[in-house]
């Protein structure tokens, strides 16, 4: 079946460090891929998405490239800030538009000044 | 900004009681989803509506759970005879027909004591 695997956290970084959070997926067909972020006490916010192979999603300095050959969608940011501390979820949507998302377990990022 | 809204945000109930959560989706969205999230885990899909029709239900949605969307606008999720294992955050989300981005509310926390 369809699934998403994320690197386990927590990830602890100093401000301005480079961030990578690994995400790989298993899916039939051609899924859309997403990164959501959840700040403490809040719901999920869409961070970025990519809908086909080689697409790059980007937002707020975060980027992720849809790699079909490695079934990956790793999240990167060149210089993290304290305000980026949150839980990051990788997700896929494997069916038609609007099909329910399948999430990874989430990776907690903690950035210190 | 009228995003997805959920009510109540927090609910503490005694084991065996019934609880109901309400979700108001983004107004032009005809698709509505319910997810459950426990501590340290990613959201898990429960059920999905297109307009008033409930099109998909997860195996996680036991007989004690029922969701409705009677007029194709707001939705309710009722849990009967609550158990301690039902303690979780219940997330509602919505999307437009043809859109592949799902927008989440802030969630309703349920604690069963």
């Amino acid at each position: 079946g369809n699934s998403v695997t994320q690197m386990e956290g927590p990830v602890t970084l100093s401000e301005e460090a480079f961030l990578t959070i690994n995400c790989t997926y298993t899916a039939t067909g051609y899924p859309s891929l997403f990164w959501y972020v959840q700040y403490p006490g809040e719901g999920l916010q869409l961070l970025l998405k990519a809908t086909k192979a080689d697409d790059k999603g980007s937002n707020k300095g975060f980027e992720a490239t849809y790699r079909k050959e490695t079934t990956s969608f790793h999240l990167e940011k060149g210089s993290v800030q304290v305000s980026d501390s949150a839980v990051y979820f990788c997700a896929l949507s494997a069916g038609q538009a609007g099909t329910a998302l399948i999430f990874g377990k989430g990776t907690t990022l903690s950035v210190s000044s | 900004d009228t995003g997805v809204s959920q009510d109540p945000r927090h609910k503490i109930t005694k084991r065996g009681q019934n609880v109901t959560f309400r979700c108001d989706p983004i107004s032009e969205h005809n698709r509505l989803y319910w997810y459950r999230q426990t501590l340290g885990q990613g959201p898990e899909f429960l059920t999905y509506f297109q307009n008033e029709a409930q099109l998909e239900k997860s195996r996680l949605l036991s007989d004690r759970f029922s969701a409705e969307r009677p007029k194709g606008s707001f939705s309710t999720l009722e849990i009967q005879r609550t158990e301690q294992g039902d303690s979780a955050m219940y997330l509602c989300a919505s999307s437009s027909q043809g859109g592949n981005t799902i927008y989440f509310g802030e969630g309703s926390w349920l604690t069963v004591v």
Side-chain angles (χ1 to χ4, degrees):
Chain A
N2 301 323
S3 66
V4 174
T5 303
Q6 290 181 236
M7 63 185 286
E8 292 193 13
V11 174
T12 304
L13 295 174
S14 298
E15 208 165 22
E16 298 184 3
F18 184 85
L19 168 70
T20 300
I21 300 178
N22 290 339
C23 171
T24 57
Y25 67 89
T26 301
T28 54
Y30 302 95
S32 296
L33 301 173
F34 304 82
W35 278 100
Y36 281 82
V37 58
Q38 187 173 36
Y39 298 101
E42 299 184 10
L44 282 82
Q45 300 175 25
L46 177 66
L47 182 60
L48 54 84
K49 67 178 181 181
T51 59
K52 61 183 187 296
D54 300 325
D55 268 2
K56 177 186 283 188
S58 61
N59 185 26
K60 300 181 181 179
F62 291 90
E63 293 182 340
T65 301
Y66 188 141
R67 301 285 188 201
K68 189 172 185 300
E69 62 277 12
T70 54
T71 62
S72 65
F73 192 55
H74 304 322
L75 182 68
E76 296 182 336
K77 186 175 186 183
S79 176
V80 293
Q81 305 300 312
V82 173
S83 58
D84 293 326
S85 298
V87 182
Y88 292 81
F89 292 95
C90 185
L92 70 82
S93 176
Q96 297 176 357
T99 301
L101 292 166
I102 296 169
F103 286 87
K105 292 187 175 182
T107 302
T108 300
L109 170 65
S110 178
V111 181
S112 57
S113 58
Chain B
D1 180 10
T2 53
V4 179
S5 62
Q6 295 188 241
D7 183 70
R9 294 292 314 281
H10 301 275
K11 177 74 176 178
I12 300 173
T13 191
K14 291 184 178 179
R15 190 162 46 116
Q17 297 294 305
N18 298 344
V19 296
T20 300
F21 299 109
R22 176 181 168 123
C23 171
D24 288 88
I26 294 171
S27 59
E28 63 270 24
H29 286 181
N30 67 340
R31 292 183 166 143
L32 187 147
Y33 309 80
W34 284 99
Y35 286 78
R36 181 174 69 186
Q37 185 180 16
T38 53
L39 283 176
Q41 301 296 316
E44 297 171 295
F45 170 72
L46 292 178
T47 190
Y48 152 57
F49 290 85
Q50 180 160 307
N51 300 313
E52 66 276 8
Q54 189 173 18
L55 296 186
E56 191 175 347
K57 290 197 290 187
S58 161
R59 286 170 292 181
L60 293 175
L61 211 66
S62 76
D63 293 346
R64 297 184 297 104
F65 288 69
S66 62
E68 295 183 344
R69 194 182 183 199
K71 297 182 180 179
S73 55
F74 73 92
S75 175
T76 57
L77 176 68
E78 181 183 18
I79 309 173
Q80 297 181 326
R81 304 181 304 281
T82 52
E83 301 173 356
Q84 287 188 322
D86 297 331
S87 296
M89 181 161 68
Y90 291 86
L91 289 161
C92 179
S94 69
S95 69
S96 61
Q97 187 157 356
N100 65 358
T101 300
I102 296 176
Y103 298 89
F104 284 81
E106 294 190 333
S108 293
W109 280 103
L110 172 65
T111 302
V112 181
V113 297

